Amino acid sequence: MLAASVPAVAVSGRDASIVISSSPMSQEVPKGETAEYTISIRNTGSNPVTVQLSQAQGNDCNGFSSQVDQITGIIDSGASETTTLRVNVTEGAGEDPCETTVTAIANEQVTPPDTPGATAQEDITVTTSVDGDGSNELWAVELETAEPNRDWEGEDLVIWQIEVTNKGRTNATISLEVEDDDAPGCDPLELTATLSETSLNIDNDSSEWVDLEVDVPDGQQAKKQCWNVHASVTNDPQANSTDDLPVNLEVPELHECDSELTSDLLVIDPDETKSTTITFTNTGNTQWSLQARVSGSKANWVEFDGTSSGTLPYNTDDDTKSFDIDVSPDDSVSSGSEVVIAIEGKDGNGPIKCSSDLTVRVGQSHGAAVSLSKSMMTNVIPGDNDSTTIMVTNQGNGEESMRITVTLPNGWMGSLDGTPISGGIGTTVLTVGSKHGSAKQNDAVLAITVPFDALADEVITIPISVSSSSGGAAYDTTNASISVAAVHGMFVTTSADDQTGKGNEEVYFPFEVENTGNTQDRFRLSVISQTSNPGWSTHFLWEDGGETPVSEIIVPAKEKR
C-alpha cells in the first residue's frame, strides 16, 4: 500500500492560497475496521487563514461512512496544519472501491478586521477498498494439514499435525471435535482417532497446532478409515464460523511373515540326508500366496519333501504354513566347513518377505586312490633289489590317516618306507591332506629284494592296498610286479674219474650235470682234450640205457641229470 502527499491545485482570491494533500491516497481494510488518512493544509498565501473542512462520498460507497476532523485556529503564511479523515468500512460494505473527497475552504484573515478577506478552496480525493484476501470476517477459523490422505506404513501410531488458524479479526475460542466420515470408499470405523486438544484460544491472524492420533494394532486388516475434524468459533454469536478437515488412513494389504526352522544347524556327512521343517507365520493383515524357495551357493543340497507353495492363512487359529526339507550335502567343501543356506518365503513370484538361515556343518567323506611310480620292476638279479614309489591321493574332503599294506610271497623280502617287511606283510601309515588342499598326496617307497633261489621264469605279483588307519575296507588296491633276471651256471660231478679197460672194449665214465642257474638250460656235451695219440673214439650215452649217442642235454633250473 503506497503513501503519498499530492498537492492540489490552489484556488486563490486576492491573497488567499492553500495546498491540500493526503497520506496515503488509498487503503484496503477489512470489514468492520476504519481507514485513516492524514490530511495536510499548507498556507501558500501572504496572509493568515482559517480553514473549514468537509467530506463527501461517491456513488459506490454503500456500507462506507466517513468523518474529517476540523483544524482550529489560524494557519500563518507559509505554515501548515494536519488533521485526520476516517473512513469506516462496515460489515455490509460492498466490493467496489469508495472514493471520499475532502474539501478545504480557506478564509483570509486581514487587518483591520472589518475589511473583507479573500477565500480559497481545494479538494482532494482518497480511495478506500475492502480487503480482498477473505480475512475480513469478524469470526473465521481454518484447518490445514500437510498430508490429509495417508497410507499406513506399519507404524503403531499415526499422527496428523493440524494447524488451526484464527482467520477473524478478533481473539476467538475455537472448539475441535473428530467425527466419523462415511464418504464413498470409506469402510466402517474400526480405529479410534483422538485429538490432543479440543479447545483453543487463539488471537486473530494467529495459529496453533494440534495432533490427531490414531493407534493401529498389529495385524490390522486392510481398510480405508476416514474421519472429519470439525472446528467452530464458540464465541461467534451466529455460530456459523466453522471449518472441516477430512482425513483418511488407507491400511493396505500387508503380505508379511516370520519364519523359523525346527533345526537351524544340521551336522551331516557327505551323501547322507537329514531333515528339518520350516514354519512361516503370517504377520500381515490378509491371507496370501506363499512360495518357499532356497538360495545360496549350495542350494542344490536342499529339496522340499513335497510342495513348496501354498496359502498362508490369516485370522485363523493357526496362521502358519510348514514345509519339510531334506538336506544332502556333497563333499565339495572341506570337512568341518559350515555352509549357510537361506530358506525364503516369497510373496508369490514377488519379493522376499521373510527368511531363515540353515547352517549345514559338513562331515568327512573317505576315499583314496593308490598308484605306483612304476608298476613293473624288470629283470632283477637274484640277491639284488629294486624299488617303486607308492603314491596315495586322498579323495575325501578331510585330512586322514591312511594305512598302506603290502603282501610279499613266501621267501621274499623287502622294506616299506625304510621299515623291513617281516612275515610277508608290511604296513606303514601316512597322513594325507584333504582333496581340497595342496597336501592331498603322500608317498611311501617299496623296496623288494629278489631271493637267490628265484627262478627267471617267475613274474611275482605284489598286492598293495590303502585303507583308513582305523580299519575297514580298502579304499583302493593295485599290484606291483617284478620279473627275475636269468642267471646261467652248471656244476659237473663224476663218481669215477679213473677207469681200466681192455682193448676193443668200451669204458664208461658216469657223470652228473647240475644246472646251478635259475632257468632251464641246454648243455652241449663234448670231449675237448685227451692225452692218447691218436685219440680214442668217445661218445656220450644216457646211463639208463640206449645206444644212441647224446650230444646235448636239457636240465631244468636247480636240477641235475
Side-chain angles (χ1 to χ4, degrees):
M1 189 173 295
L2 299 176
S5 178
V6 179
V9 179
V11 179
S12 62
R14 276 197 314 263
D15 280 325
S17 177
I18 60 172
V19 174
I20 184 169
S21 62
S22 173
S23 178
M25 290 297 293
S26 64
Q27 291 190 60
E28 290 184 3
V29 294
K31 291 180 180 180
E33 294 188 5
T34 299
E36 293 187 352
Y37 300 88
T38 299
I39 305 299
S40 297
I41 308 295
R42 183 163 62 91
N43 183 358
T44 57
S46 57
N47 295 314
V49 294
T50 59
V51 176
Q52 181 69 34
L53 298 172
S54 63
Q55 82 281 345
Q57 295 183 168
N59 295 329
D60 296 324
C61 291
N62 185 31
F64 294 81
S65 62
S66 59
Q67 178 65 45
V68 64
D69 295 337
Q70 296 296 323
I71 296 175
T72 59
I74 296 174
I75 303 174
D76 292 330
S77 174
S80 64
E81 294 290 340
T82 62
T83 188
T84 301
L85 169 67
R86 297 177 181 86
V87 179
N88 183 42
V89 184
T90 69
E91 293 291 338
E95 297 300 323
D96 293 332
C98 172
E99 291 186 348
T100 303
T101 301
V102 177
T103 300
I105 299 175
N107 293 300
E108 185 180 27
Q109 304 298 310
V110 296
T111 301
D114 56 352
T115 302
T119 62
Q121 178 177 327
E122 184 181 349
D123 297 333
I124 192 168
T125 300
V126 299
T127 304
T128 305
S129 304
V130 176
D131 186 357
D133 64 359
S135 60
N136 49 22
E137 288 86 359
L138 184 62
W139 312 104
V141 62
E142 182 179 75
L143 300 177
E144 288 185 309
T145 189
E147 194 176 2
N149 305 314
R150 296 177 61 175
D151 289 334
W152 185 55
E153 296 178 350
E155 62 268 41
D156 296 332
L157 183 65
V158 181
I159 300 176
W160 283 268
Q161 292 184 322
I162 300 173
E163 184 179 19
V164 183
T165 303
N166 181 356
K167 303 290 285 187
R169 300 192 311 277
T170 186
N171 178 279
T173 299
I174 298 172
S175 176
L176 300 170
E177 61 179 335
V178 60
E179 307 164 334
D180 181 10
D181 189 346
D182 57 358
C186 297
D187 296 312
L189 276 179
E190 291 183 0
L191 304 178
T192 300
T194 305
L195 287 165
S196 60
E197 301 285 345
T198 57
S199 181
L200 300 170
N201 189 271
I202 307 176
D203 289 334
N204 61 306
D205 290 329
S206 299
S207 63
E208 292 190 16
W209 294 85
V210 298
D211 291 341
L212 178 67
E213 300 179 352
V214 176
D215 287 308
V216 183
D218 290 339
Q220 171 61 43
Q221 195 169 7
K223 288 183 180 298
K224 182 177 182 181
Q225 301 282 271
C226 305
W227 299 271
N228 181 68
V229 180
H230 178 73
S232 59
V233 180
T234 58
N235 48 343
D236 177 7
Q238 297 182 359
N240 59 2
S241 300
T242 64
D243 194 22
D244 291 283
L245 177 65
V247 297
N248 65 72
L249 179 64
E250 183 80 39
V251 181
E253 285 192 4
L254 299 179
H255 296 183
E256 305 293 343
C257 61
D258 288 332
S259 60
E260 184 178 11
L261 289 160
T262 54
S263 298
D264 57 11
L265 172 63
L266 297 178
V267 182
I268 317 174
D269 289 334
D271 299 324
E272 291 187 354
T273 299
K274 288 187 179 180
S275 300
T276 187
T277 299
I278 186 165
T279 299
F280 296 95
T281 301
N282 192 346
T283 58
N285 60 4
T286 186
Q287 70 176 22
W288 51 282
S289 179
L290 172 70
Q291 175 69 51
R293 74 164 193 179
V294 182
S295 68
S297 61
K298 299 299 180 182
N300 60 307
W301 290 358
V302 177
E303 288 187 356
F304 286 92
D305 185 8
T307 182
S308 60
S309 62
T311 298
L312 192 58
Y314 172 73
N315 203 22
T316 67
D317 292 336
D318 183 19
D319 294 345
T320 64
K321 181 78 176 172
S322 297
F323 302 96
D324 296 328
I325 54 178
D326 297 328
V327 186
S328 305
D330 54 38
D331 64 354
S332 58
V333 297
S334 296
S335 172
S337 297
E338 290 189 351
V339 175
V340 177
I341 301 171
I343 314 299
E344 301 167 342
K346 297 184 62 182
D347 184 3
N349 293 321
I352 298 168
K353 291 299 183 177
C354 57
S355 176
S356 291
D357 287 340
L358 171 64
T359 301
V360 180
R361 184 178 299 157
V362 181
Q364 186 165 345
S365 62
H366 302 276
V370 61
S371 58
L372 302 171
S373 61
K374 58 181 179 181
S375 59
M376 183 71 181
M377 294 171 278
T378 305
N379 292 329
V380 182
I381 298 172
D384 287 349
N385 60 62
D386 200 354
S387 64
T388 185
T389 300
I390 302 172
M391 297 170 288
V392 177
T393 302
N394 192 350
Q395 294 180 329
N397 67 342
E399 181 181 275
E400 188 170 356
S401 178
M402 298 186 184
R403 175 177 286 110
I404 297 174
T405 302
V406 176
T407 304
L408 298 181
N410 289 333
W412 286 64
M413 294 183 297
S415 65
L416 183 57
D417 242 13
T419 301
I421 298 174
S422 62
I425 298 178
T427 62
T428 190
V429 174
L430 302 176
T431 298
V432 189
S434 165
K435 70 177 182 177
H436 299 299
S438 59
K440 63 183 177 182
Q441 179 179 306
N442 206 347
D443 304 335
V445 176
L446 172 64
I448 303 296
T449 300
V450 177
F452 285 102
D453 60 355
L455 300 178
D457 56 356
E458 289 183 298
V459 176
I460 303 303
T461 299
I462 302 170
I464 301 170
S465 65
V466 60
S467 61
S468 171
S469 63
S470 60
Y475 294 148
D476 195 18
T477 62
T478 190
N479 293 318
S481 299
I482 185 167
S483 64
V484 182
V487 177
H488 303 278
M490 61 175 290
F491 186 73
V492 179
T493 59
T494 180
S495 58
D497 56 3
D498 188 8
Q499 296 278 29
T500 302
K502 297 178 179 181
N504 294 321
E505 290 185 355
E506 289 185 342
V507 178
Y508 296 94
F509 291 89
F511 66 90
E512 186 175 61
V513 178
E514 180 183 1
N515 184 352
T516 60
N518 64 353
T519 185
Q520 176 177 281
D521 258 343
R522 182 186 298 271
F523 297 96
R524 180 173 297 166
L525 304 177
S526 64
V527 175
I528 60 174
S529 68
Q530 57 178 292
T531 58
S532 64
N533 188 16
W536 292 356
S537 174
T538 61
H539 62 276
F540 297 89
L541 298 172
W542 288 111
E543 184 182 26
D544 56 359
E547 295 299 329
T548 303
V550 177
S551 62
E552 290 182 347
I553 62 173
I554 296 175
V555 182
K558 308 302 180 183
E559 293 188 12
K560 301 176 182 178
R561 292 200 72 176

